């Protein structure tokens, strides 16, 4: 594996250590940092996250990281991977914090999972579920269609541009479980908790 300077953004809402360990298991080194200088020097950036959309955006702003992240995506065009809440932050906003704008990288809104009628589906959506691969992507190299990944979320992206869709998952209806737009990647599931298939996806990202 070619060595890359992979930085995991620490903005107070991510499961950072498990992600760092997952990278270590595939022979990569993920540097955990909240420093704009360190993030700005990265070859690749991972934006993890669990928790509240509004709190996450507030923390990014407080740490003065938003402009650095914009620069990485649009000026330096470095690969960026959002995981769970980290993917939701890439949208224009979220119903979870209606007055708080997101990063706006993807033409989408994060909306709460909802189901019509009674059923077995609960919120949050937690556990293993299949993903349907909707387009060719280096991120999914070696990942079989309908592979199972681990999910833990109450919101998902509502895409306005279907060309950004990479994976789709059924849970009381179909929702986008991964996106790809140029150098921007996002997964609603947790590859760091998804055993071999998750390790393969992380390895693909590191080797982009």
């Amino acid at each position: 594996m070619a060595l890359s300077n992979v930085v995991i953004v620490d903005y107070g809402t991510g499961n950072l250590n498990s992600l760092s360990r997952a990278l270590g298991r595939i022979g990569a080194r993920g540097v955990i940092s909240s420093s704009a200088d360190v993030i700005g020097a990265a070859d690749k950036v991972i934006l993890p996250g669990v928790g509240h959309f509004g709190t996450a955006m507030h923390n990014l702003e407080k740490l003065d990281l938003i402009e650095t992240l914009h620069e990485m995506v649009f000026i330096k065009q470095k690969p960026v991977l959002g995981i769970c809440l980290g993917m939701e932050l890439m949208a224009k906003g979220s119903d979870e914090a209606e007055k708080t704008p997101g990063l706006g990288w993807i033409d989408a809104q994060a909306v709460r999972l909802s189901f019509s009628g009674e059923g077995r589906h609960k919120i949050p959506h937690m556990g293993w579920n299949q993903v349907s691969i909707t387009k060719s992507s280096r991120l999914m190299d070696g990942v079989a269609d309908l592979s199972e990944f681990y999910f833990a979320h109450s919101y998902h992206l509502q895409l306005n541009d279907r060309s950004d869709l990479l994976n789709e998952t059924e849970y009381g209806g179909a929702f986008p479980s991964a996106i790809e737009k140029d150098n921007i990647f996002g997964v609603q599931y947790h590859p760091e908790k998804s055993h071999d298939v998750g390790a393969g996806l992380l390895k693909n990202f590191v080797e982009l």
Side-chain angles (χ1 to χ4, degrees):
M1 178 187 298
L3 291 178
S4 293
N5 177 18
V6 182
V7 174
I8 303 167
V9 181
D10 180 4
Y11 59 104
T13 63
N15 192 6
L16 307 178
N17 290 325
S18 65
L19 181 54
S20 178
R21 289 194 296 270
L23 290 171
R25 287 194 292 271
I26 61 170
R29 179 170 176 262
V31 176
I32 299 171
S33 180
S34 58
S35 164
D37 289 340
V38 173
I39 295 167
D43 296 319
K44 301 185 178 71
V45 174
I46 299 179
L47 190 64
V50 292
H52 191 274
F53 185 98
T55 301
M57 287 303 304
H58 171 76
N59 289 353
L60 286 174
E61 185 174 8
K62 186 177 179 180
L63 291 165
D64 200 23
L65 294 180
I66 293 178
E67 286 306 315
T68 298
L69 291 170
H70 287 333
E71 181 181 350
M72 293 298 286
V73 169
F74 296 113
I75 306 301
K76 298 181 179 179
Q77 298 185 334
K78 300 294 185 180
V80 177
L81 173 66
I83 296 176
C84 198
L85 176 61
M87 180 175 89
E88 295 167 22
L89 297 178
M90 295 173 167
K92 291 183 174 180
S94 173
D95 291 354
E96 188 175 27
E98 294 181 356
K99 295 182 179 180
T100 303
L103 293 169
W105 301 342
I106 299 292
D107 186 8
Q109 179 79 5
V111 299
R112 185 170 172 83
L113 288 165
S114 63
F115 316 110
S116 58
E118 297 295 326
R120 61 183 178 83
H121 301 97
K122 297 180 180 180
I123 300 174
H125 170 212
M126 295 190 70
W128 296 87
N129 206 342
Q130 293 179 332
V131 305
S132 175
I133 301 172
T134 62
K135 65 180 179 181
S136 177
S137 169
R138 288 176 61 195
L139 189 68
M140 308 305 293
D141 280 354
V143 177
D145 192 33
L146 302 182
S147 291
E148 290 195 340
F149 288 83
Y150 186 83
F151 289 81
H153 66 113
S154 299
Y155 289 79
H156 67 87
L157 291 191
Q158 188 174 73
L159 298 175
N160 292 320
D161 187 345
R162 289 279 296 182
S163 70
D164 296 336
L165 182 66
L166 177 56
N167 294 166
E168 199 164 46
T169 292
E170 289 285 337
Y171 188 71
F175 69 89
S177 49
I179 56 168
E180 177 179 347
K181 180 181 180 181
D182 301 324
N183 54 313
I184 301 166
F185 303 86
V187 292
Q188 190 68 69
Y189 43 81
H190 288 270
E192 76 278 11
K193 296 181 179 181
S194 298
H195 304 325
D196 290 347
V197 69
L201 186 147
L202 289 173
K203 185 173 183 289
N204 289 339
F205 176 72
V206 170
E207 293 182 344
L208 286 174

